[in-house]
Amino acid sequence: KLSALREALAKYNEEHQDKFVGKPKSFKEQMNGLLNENFHVSILLLPILGIILFTIVPLVFSILIAFTNYSSGHQPPNQLFTWYGFENFITLFAAPADSVYAMLPSALVKTLGWTICWTIIATFSNYFLGIILALLINKKSIKFKKLWRTIFIMTIAVPQFISLMSIGVLLKDVGAVGTWWANTFGSRLGFGTDPTNGAIVSKIIIIIVNIWIGIPYTMLSTTGILMNIPNDLYESATVDGAGPFTQFTKITLPYILFVTGSYLITQFIGNINNFNVIFFLTGGGPNISGTALQVGHTDLLITFIYKMVTSNNNPQFGIASTIGIVIFVVCAFFSI
């Protein structure tokens, strides 16, 4: 038995020569290992450094700034900023009535409400309408499938900010569409300028434009998924008496959701921070009356922050960072 155990131990040591056997490797051996058996560690170091430098460090600085009075009037070398504690959070949620930020809590609530409504509508309208469009184009009875896909992909081929700026100009009261609307219906379209009912017209138009530029992405991803669903499933369902709607809810939609679940979450978070659509179409306007913060009815939290840090009237980076923490909490909640 002892001889058999010795043979087994010798065989094990021979098969596991790179394992730790009680003697640590020298520093030189460890460095050489980074170019040989541990080369994967060296490769992973590059993205880890990128995440630390461009994600974690700015995030930490942003959180720290939220606890200071850092602004254009409080920054080196003219005047140092000081630690403010939770004063920015108090200002954000319960600003004093005699403060310049007295309207900040109510403006924040309105902006947060519109941000959540916009995110839900923009995400799920693009998602489900893109699925429906992909289903229509992939039907066997539809001809010229490549042509239809190319037409819808054209909105992706043109840079998004160019499309949004062009549409924003056309929809203004002095633009081609705005002028046509006034001549036809005898009233201003008021895109980005009319605050009636919380600028409802501007918000509806923004959602429609976002659908136009967002549907092709979902259509493309969904088209590839639909091509990989086995036809045997649909044939078996047809034999069992399932109609088109049942096949969609029991086969197609679960299959698509399983594959695109992570995409749906990233789209949702992306729409919470969808700066381009709002900034290039309306710039956040029309402004909410009764506040000096220059926040508009169509502003999202992200564009609200942008206005706060680029304001000519003493931009407040501390309060802006506090709003950034609010955005992070909202994103984290919906992601989870």
Side-chain angles (χ1 to χ4, degrees):
K1 283 186 177 182
L2 183 60
S3 176
L5 288 173
R6 285 174 177 168
E7 290 180 2
L9 178 61
K11 182 179 179 181
Y12 178 85
N13 291 332
E14 183 180 355
E15 293 177 350
H16 300 80
Q17 294 181 5
D18 58 337
K19 298 298 181 180
F20 180 69
V21 293
K23 181 180 178 181
K25 292 183 178 180
S26 65
F27 179 77
K28 184 178 179 180
E29 290 175 334
Q30 293 181 34
M31 291 297 101
N32 291 333
L34 293 176
L35 298 177
N36 294 290
E37 67 271 13
N38 293 324
F39 185 65
H40 61 283
V41 177
S42 304
I43 295 297
L44 287 174
L45 183 63
L46 296 176
I48 290 174
L49 287 176
I51 292 174
I52 292 173
L53 291 176
F54 301 111
T55 301
I56 296 178
V57 171
L59 183 63
V60 171
F61 269 98
S62 178
I63 294 173
L64 293 176
I65 288 174
F67 297 92
T68 69
N69 65 343
Y70 184 54
S71 65
S72 62
H74 296 85
Q75 56 182 332
N78 298 328
Q79 185 177 353
L80 298 178
F81 62 87
T82 58
W83 292 101
Y84 235 34
F86 290 94
E87 288 295 324
N88 288 328
F89 292 89
I90 295 173
T91 302
L92 193 63
F93 295 106
D98 57 347
S99 171
V100 68
Y101 298 110
M103 298 295 296
L104 181 58
S106 61
L108 179 67
V109 171
K110 291 180 181 179
T111 306
L112 178 60
W114 160 238
T115 300
I116 294 176
C117 290
W118 148 263
T119 303
I120 293 173
I121 296 173
T123 302
F124 291 102
S125 60
N126 283 354
Y127 187 72
F128 288 109
L129 290 176
I131 291 175
I132 293 172
L133 182 61
L135 289 170
L136 291 174
I137 294 178
N138 283 282
K139 284 182 67 70
K140 294 181 179 179
S141 59
I142 298 296
K143 298 180 179 180
F144 309 112
K145 290 181 172 60
K146 293 183 179 180
L147 174 63
W148 295 117
R149 291 195 193 104
T150 304
I151 291 174
F152 286 104
I153 290 172
M154 289 300 293
T155 60
I156 303 177
V158 180
Q160 190 182 91
F161 80 96
I162 294 178
S163 301
L164 294 173
M165 290 179 65
S166 302
I167 294 173
V169 171
L170 292 173
L171 290 171
K172 298 295 183 183
D173 289 336
V174 295
V177 176
T179 304
W180 170 83
W181 182 276
N183 294 334
T184 304
F185 299 99
S187 61
R188 294 189 312 114
L189 182 60
F191 180 67
T193 58
D194 184 9
T196 305
N197 296 324
I200 186 66
V201 173
S202 299
K203 292 177 179 179
I204 292 174
I205 294 175
I206 288 173
I207 291 172
I208 294 173
V209 173
N210 184 70
I211 289 174
W212 173 65
I213 64 175
I215 278 182
Y217 293 96
T218 307
M219 181 201 70
L220 284 177
S221 60
T222 305
T223 298
I225 297 170
L226 292 174
M227 290 180 177
N228 290 321
I229 300 179
N231 287 326
D232 297 345
L233 295 177
Y234 294 105
E235 293 173 357
S236 301
T238 302
V239 171
D240 291 338
F245 182 76
T246 303
Q247 292 181 19
F248 174 76
T249 56
K250 299 297 184 181
I251 300 176
T252 308
L253 187 58
Y255 199 95
I256 293 174
L257 283 172
F258 178 76
V259 178
T260 62
S262 57
Y263 166 80
L264 187 60
I265 294 174
T266 55
Q267 281 293 101
F268 194 91
I269 302 305
N271 280 319
I272 290 179
N273 296 307
N274 198 332
F275 179 86
N276 290 349
V277 173
I278 304 299
F279 182 77
F280 289 116
L281 285 178
T282 64
N287 288 341
I288 298 175
S289 59
T291 175
L293 299 173
Q294 297 180 346
V295 59
H297 286 280
T298 60
D299 266 321
L300 303 179
L301 289 175
I302 190 69
T303 56
F304 189 9
I305 290 178
Y306 175 79
K307 288 183 176 181
M308 186 162 288
V309 299
T310 58
S311 172
N312 293 326
N313 184 20
N314 192 18
Q316 298 292 327
F317 303 109
I319 297 178
S321 296
T322 307
I323 300 176
I325 293 176
V326 173
I327 295 177
F328 170 77
V329 171
V330 172
C331 292
F333 172 78
F334 284 107
S335 295
I336 293 172

